[in-house]
Amino acid sequence: MSPSTHPFRTLALFCRVVDNFGDIGICWRFARQLWREHGIAVTLWVDDLASFRRICPAVVPGAETQQIEGVTVCHWRDQEGVFAPEDIADIVIEFFAVDIPPGYIAAMAQCQPRPVWFNLEGLSAEEWVEGCHTLPSSHPRLPLTKHFFFPGFTDKTGGLLREADLLEQRRRFQADPAAMAAFLAPFGVTAAEMASIKVSLFCYPHAPVAALFEAWQQGAEAVTCLVPEGVASETVRGFLDAAPSAGAARTVGSLSVRVLPFVAQPDYDKLLWACDLNLVRGEDSFVRAQWAGRPFVWHIYPQDENLHHVKLRAFLSRYAGGIDSLARFSLCWNGAEAAPQQDGWAALWSALRADLPQMAGQAEAWQQKMTENDDMTGNLLKFACSLRSATG
């Protein structure tokens, strides 16, 4: 949707960092796309600039307000001040149901026309999401209505976040082996490691990384694991027998582990594109792994009472496509099932490795299916336009 086809000029996006990088990762991609593709001036309110800086090196952690790639970034410190109607954006989005400043909400009620207000929810494959997508919620005291917007995997949801040129960029990169080798070379990846099974590893601390490392070490096929600094740090430290800092590397048996620095989001996309298998976590890297068109395994953000296992199974029921090794590996990786007693993770890896070609085909088919739902940003703006038209 081009700037000439929608009435919105400004948007405020409120983000609290809970999952270290997933929350801000999604919001940062979303904010940049709104500006670059739709001409909307975005103010991104975020409470944790230090985490933000890990994926966007241009961030100045001590700055109250800064301009980065066309986006105004404001350090959100529970501002309780008074806001005027002229301070209010045309679209206001609270990410994951954060509580935006009461003064901001009060000023929203004074605007004419009133801003379009969304709660942008988390991604889930559960069926109930379709029934809740775009539902309204009236403010208990003020003449304001908020609408729930759910990203998702069907045409009855908001779709997945995707920039207009993303898939073409990926296609060109993956069609050029020299480009992939040139990208990985500064991280120390050798020609021999380029010829091995390359796995990117991004997981939460409780993932059974040590058991998987052991299976890879003892396997017959060379595996190169590329892990960002700070991820699975205790296991990586034990494997390296040294500090798991960026640039550290070691080979034991069939496994080589290399510690990478945290990179800006465009380079993380390239890392996913260059690997044969991606182990990802949370929501942002989960979505980017789907657009990478490569086999992947999702480490889902843990929730009380193991509710995340329900979400995981819902996704696998849509995605796994009868690839039993992927479903079993994913469930064991997330603690939803126990690894087999005989051969354990070696057996899980052997089965998954044998099915990687089938998983690659499934990844491409899934990507094509997801593009049919259009992209989340465009879908949200279309819905915002319908709300604005309905209210005059």
Side-chain angles (χ1 to χ4, degrees):
M1 181 174 290
S2 66
S4 62
T5 58
H6 66 75
F8 307 108
R9 296 296 173 261
T10 59
L11 181 146
L13 175 58
F14 291 83
C15 172
R16 290 198 184 280
V17 178
V18 176
D19 181 19
N20 298 114
F21 311 110
D23 327 78
I24 186 56
I26 295 165
C27 288
W28 181 228
R29 293 187 194 274
F30 182 41
R32 283 180 295 167
Q33 186 184 8
L34 285 162
W35 168 244
R36 291 175 178 174
E37 298 181 16
H38 303 283
I40 297 178
V42 179
T43 299
L44 172 58
W45 295 82
V46 57
D47 64 335
D48 184 352
L49 294 178
S51 291
F52 189 5
R53 190 173 187 274
R54 297 288 298 278
I55 62 170
C56 179
V59 170
V60 178
E64 292 298 319
T65 304
Q66 52 195 301
Q67 285 285 328
I68 308 173
E69 298 187 43
V71 176
T72 300
V73 176
C74 293
H75 193 182
W76 187 8
R77 299 177 180 271
D78 295 317
Q79 284 86 350
E80 299 294 342
V82 176
F83 292 85
E86 55 266 26
D87 299 323
I88 306 305
D90 299 331
I91 301 176
V92 178
I93 298 179
E94 53 189 48
F95 187 67
F96 282 7
V98 301
D99 294 322
I100 62 180
Y104 198 96
I105 296 175
M108 287 166 58
Q110 300 174 33
C111 294
Q112 289 295 336
R114 295 188 178 92
V116 178
W117 185 9
F118 288 120
N119 176 11
L120 180 57
E121 283 283 357
L123 176 62
S124 177
E126 295 169 281
E127 291 187 4
W128 64 264
V129 167
E130 295 182 344
C132 294
H133 179 56
T134 72
L135 283 182
S137 175
S138 299
H139 193 279
R141 294 180 293 101
L142 300 173
L144 293 168
T145 299
K146 173 169 56 180
H147 286 80
F148 295 93
F149 196 90
F150 283 81
F153 304 102
T154 74
D155 60 3
K156 295 179 181 179
T157 68
L160 300 178
L161 190 67
R162 171 175 55 86
E163 300 85 352
D165 60 350
L166 179 66
L167 299 187
E168 178 58 22
Q169 286 184 17
R170 175 191 73 87
R171 186 196 65 77
R172 290 198 305 266
F173 185 81
Q174 291 180 336
D176 187 350
M180 289 191 285
F183 171 73
L184 292 175
F187 302 124
V189 177
T190 66
E193 289 169 348
M194 283 297 300
S196 69
I197 297 295
K198 297 177 294 300
V199 182
S200 75
L201 173 63
F202 191 40
C203 62
Y204 294 108
H206 60 282
V209 176
L212 184 57
F213 274 14
E214 183 176 355
W216 282 340
Q217 287 174 227
Q218 298 175 358
E221 186 174 24
V223 174
T224 299
C225 181
L226 306 174
V227 53
E229 186 176 23
V231 173
S233 57
E234 291 307 310
T235 297
V236 173
R237 179 189 299 275
F239 179 87
L240 296 173
D241 197 23
S245 54
R250 188 186 184 197
T251 299
V252 178
S254 296
L255 173 62
S256 298
V257 173
R258 288 193 174 275
V259 181
L260 277 53
F262 255 78
V263 295
Q265 286 181 326
D267 281 345
Y268 182 69
D269 286 335
K270 289 182 179 179
L271 177 64
L272 297 177
W273 300 345
C275 288
D276 302 296
L277 172 67
N278 295 303
L279 306 181
V280 295
R281 80 180 202 190
E283 184 168 325
D284 180 56
S285 61
F286 170 49
V287 172
R288 303 314 278 197
Q290 293 174 61
W291 295 130
R294 299 291 202 200
F296 73 91
V297 175
W298 181 27
H299 201 211
I300 187 171
Y301 185 76
Q303 294 179 294
D304 292 340
E305 300 180 359
N306 288 328
L307 292 178
H308 57 298
H309 291 164
V310 176
K311 294 179 64 174
L312 175 65
R313 292 179 188 275
F315 174 71
L316 290 173
S317 70
R318 294 184 186 273
Y319 180 81
I323 305 176
D324 292 339
S325 63
L326 172 58
R328 187 72 191 282
F329 190 102
S330 300
L331 292 169
C332 293
W333 187 243
N334 284 275
E337 288 187 2
Q341 291 185 352
Q342 185 173 0
D343 297 329
W345 279 93
L348 290 169
W349 168 245
S350 178
L352 190 76
R353 173 63 186 95
D355 286 339
L356 281 186
Q358 185 181 357
M359 289 171 61
Q362 166 67 3
E364 290 285 357
W366 176 261
Q367 186 178 101
Q368 179 59 43
K369 183 178 179 180
M370 291 303 99
T371 60
E372 295 172 1
N373 299 329
D374 294 328
D375 78 283
M376 187 199 81
T377 302
N379 289 335
L380 182 141
L381 288 177
K382 290 175 186 176
F383 182 55
C385 286
S386 70
L387 295 174
R388 176 58 59 87
S389 297
T391 59

